[in-house]
Amino acid sequence: MCSQMEYSIFLAQVVGCYAFALSLAWIVHAQRCRKTMHEFLSNPALVTISGGLSILFGLLIVLTHPVWVSDWPVVITITGWILLLQGLMRIFYPDSFVKGIKDLMAGKGLNLLCWAWLLVGAYLIWAGFFRG
């Protein structure tokens, strides 16, 4: 059994690498990703399935990592809650979710969100691989 700090480090590595890689791909290949997102949003089955997966991964983090401290592990906990809440939005309010994402894509919101997740990913990579 690993300690809470070891688990936090592991999650920082996984979530950090995932967030960094995904957001970097969005930034580098913005046009292709926008096209993919439009296709994704027009398919209710994909929105629902991805909502279920988001709920699953959010619950895994929220239930196993309820760390509310004023240090880097709280970023993992907050990420879990974000996954859980947006997964619930996809399942229970798919039309509102789709409209919100389309509104983000229409302006600069999606770019800002990608840069924010890139920074979160970089921070968690630093915490998980170099600070831990």
Side-chain angles (χ1 to χ4, degrees), residues 6-38:
E6 290 171 324
Y7 189 59
S8 292
I9 291 169
F10 169 73
L11 284 176
Q13 292 170 342
V14 172
V15 173
C17 288
Y18 179 79
F20 187 85
L22 197 61
S23 58
L24 184 61
W26 269 93
I27 291 165
V28 172
H29 301 290
Q31 293 297 24
R32 182 183 58 159
C33 290
R34 283 181 184 277
K35 182 178 184 255
T36 301
M37 184 58 78
H38 279 294

Side-chain angles (χ1 to χ4, degrees), residues 77-98:
T77 304
I78 292 169
T79 301
W81 277 102
I82 290 170
L83 284 170
L84 177 60
L85 293 174
Q86 65 104 339
L88 290 169
M89 277 289 295
R90 290 179 192 206
I91 297 290
F92 290 103
Y93 305 102
D95 294 336
S96 296
F97 174 80
V98 168

Side-chain angles (χ1 to χ4, degrees), residues 52-67:
L53 289 172
S54 185
I55 291 170
L56 174 65
F57 292 119
L59 281 172
L60 285 172
I61 293 172
V62 166
L63 295 176
T64 62
H65 196 269
V67 178

